[in-house]
Amino acid sequence: MHATPLRSGGAACSHEGMSASTLTHPFPAAPAAGETIEVAPGLLWARLPLPYRLDHVNIYLIEDGNGWAVLDTGIGNEATKDAWEQLLSGPLAGRPLTRLIVTHMHPDHVGAAGWLIDKLDLPLDMTETEYLQALLLTTNPESLGQDHYRRFYVDNGLGPEATEAVMTRGHDYLRLLTGLPQSFRRVIAGDRLIIGGRSFDVLTGGGHASEQMMLYCAEENLFLGADQVLPRISPNVSVYPRDPMGDPLGIFLRSLRSLKTAIPHDALVLPGHDLPFAGLHGRLDDMIAHHEERCGVIVEACRATPRSASELVPFVFSRPLDAHQTGFAFSEVLAHTNYLLRRGRLGLVDGLDGIHRWLAK
Ligand SMILES: [Zn+2]
């Protein structure tokens, strides 16, 4: 999650609104804690709590022989473990979990993986990039505090106090992980996953995470879209210091456009947050338009005055932001400026203070 005006949560989503298209929600009420809702025969929807404004993450259980395959785990904290215990002793009692499928490396999706795997001895299915990035976070969380992070924020105009706040409090959610096994089963776009009596086509998309997994069951027109397309908020798209000149927004928009050809408009979308919905293509159009609009705001703000990422944040996010939200807002602005820079709509101006600023071209 992470949201805009930042509805922050784990590593996920931003931005609200953008409701030009009409979505239908065949299951208008979410499952209560410890309960599930059957959204298709042998496919259960459950929710786990998150300690953010976006206060939940969806997980799905897919009938797999005599047990259940699990899609995503919740964040790695005690509230999630309690919620899992409720599910395991409640609606899931009597049937084993067979495998764990994780869509992407954000802690609200992969956070409880180590704990669940230790407890239930499950194989882990992930894409390689998501597995490796999550493994890096779990094996070397201190890498988040290193100098390249500090330089990245400072070079883009964040003051010393805000930089420290983002690197400490703002990064806390990245530590809500319970580890990962040393081996996994690699899943790649184009694969077909057979789960129980169902066959799922594997798709991946970048932008929100590098190689996020989505699953489509053509026979039943079911799309497990993870965080790539959400009904109410737009997933966070951020530049990080590992790839400071990267173009996650360009990659994300390409993915959204390709989903319009890969997945039918009337598929039942089972998202990582909020309610299942139908009306996919309209939603994709709205999300694309949202980012284009935000690009327009940034270009206008840089029309007469060169501005840094930090200086652009208030143009894009009008509410006051806490440390957690500031980190996301800042990195999300950079995703837009990098996108505009690559497409010649902004030019880089390096000032005497060494801070990167952009001017409209
Ligand atoms: Zn996410």
Side-chain angles (χ1 to χ4, degrees):
M1 334 128 290
H2 322 176
T4 323
L6 278 206
R7 251 51 181 159
S8 280
C13 312
S14 1
H15 335 294
E16 292 197 343
M18 308 171 289
S19 51
S21 67
T22 305
L23 306 183
T24 57
H25 296 288
F27 304 93
E35 292 178 8
T36 61
I37 289 176
E38 189 171 57
V39 290
L43 206 164
L44 308 180
W45 168 32
R47 278 197 161 173
L48 299 171
L50 292 177
Y52 305 107
R53 279 191 76 142
L54 180 56
D55 62 2
H56 71 275
V57 59
N58 294 330
I59 63 165
Y60 298 94
L61 299 129
I62 306 164
E63 193 164 58
D64 187 17
N66 67 342
W68 299 102
V70 184
L71 187 88
D72 287 344
T73 72
I75 209 160
N77 67 6
E78 291 309 309
T80 295
K81 293 176 193 173
D82 290 347
W84 263 114
E85 296 290 4
Q86 269 187 286
L87 287 170
L88 292 169
S89 62
L92 306 181
R95 294 176 71 174
L97 300 190
T98 57
R99 65 206 280 187
L100 175 58
I101 304 163
V102 172
T103 58
H104 65 295
M105 54 78 69
H106 292 153
D108 49 328
H109 299 262
V110 76
W115 176 78
L116 266 181
I117 288 169
D118 284 347
K119 182 181 169 69
L120 301 171
D121 191 24
L122 306 175
L124 173 65
D125 294 328
M126 282 182 86
T127 66
E128 187 163 47
T129 315
E130 299 303 320
Y131 171 77
L132 291 175
Q133 290 191 358
L135 190 67
L136 184 65
L137 262 187
T138 62
T139 54
N140 186 17
E142 298 320 311
S143 66
L144 296 172
Q146 285 171 1
D147 285 347
H148 71 285
Y149 258 88
R150 184 168 287 105
R151 202 175 320 120
F152 171 72
Y153 290 125
V154 171
D155 285 353
N156 286 293
L158 209 60
E161 226 170 88
T163 296
E164 284 317 306
V166 167
M167 289 183 56
T168 51
R169 298 193 301 282
H171 286 177
D172 277 350
Y173 80 97
L174 292 171
R175 297 180 175 86
L176 294 176
L177 296 162
T178 57
L180 278 182
Q182 289 299 311
S183 63
F184 75 117
R185 303 194 301 197
R186 184 182 182 192
V187 178
I188 190 167
D191 280 355
R192 185 158 285 177
L193 286 188
I194 306 298
I195 304 173
R198 287 189 168 89
S199 169
F200 290 92
D201 295 322
V202 174
L203 298 88
T204 59
H208 174 65
S210 294
E211 195 189 357
Q212 180 169 222
M213 190 198 316
M214 297 163 274
L215 298 175
Y216 178 60
C217 175
E219 201 171 18
E220 292 166 81
N221 204 18
L222 296 171
F223 180 51
L224 290 150
D227 281 358
Q228 198 73 346
V229 51
L230 299 170
R232 183 178 61 90
I233 56 179
S234 176
N236 175 258
V237 175
S238 280
V239 170
Y240 294 103
R242 187 184 295 134
D243 183 15
M245 296 308 294
D247 185 26
L249 180 57
I251 294 167
F252 185 63
L253 294 175
R254 280 211 294 280
S255 168
L256 297 187
R257 291 188 187 105
S258 75
L259 288 176
K260 284 184 72 173
T261 55
I263 310 295
H265 178 56
D266 60 355
L268 175 62
V269 184
L270 302 171
H273 303 276
D274 291 317
L275 300 174
F277 68 96
L280 176 65
H281 292 188
R283 183 60 188 147
L284 292 167
D285 287 340
D286 285 353
M287 290 168 70
I288 292 165
H290 162 77
H291 286 291
E292 281 167 359
E293 186 186 313
R294 182 164 284 183
C295 284
V297 168
I298 289 173
V299 169
E300 273 320 300
C302 296
R303 183 71 64 197
T305 310
R307 299 191 195 273
S308 68
S310 180
E311 289 159 353
L312 286 167
V313 165
F315 288 88
V316 178
F317 301 95
S318 51
R319 303 182 321 123
L321 305 173
D322 65 20
H324 180 86
Q325 295 164 333
T326 298
F328 284 123
F330 174 88
S331 304
E332 176 118 7
V333 166
L334 270 180
H336 290 78
T337 54
N338 280 5
Y339 175 85
L340 292 164
L341 196 62
R342 285 194 185 212
R343 285 151 185 86
R345 293 169 65 187
L346 291 180
L348 186 61
V349 180
D350 268 324
L352 292 175
D353 56 6
I355 290 172
H356 307 315
R357 291 186 175 80
W358 299 278
L359 193 59
K361 281 189 166 180

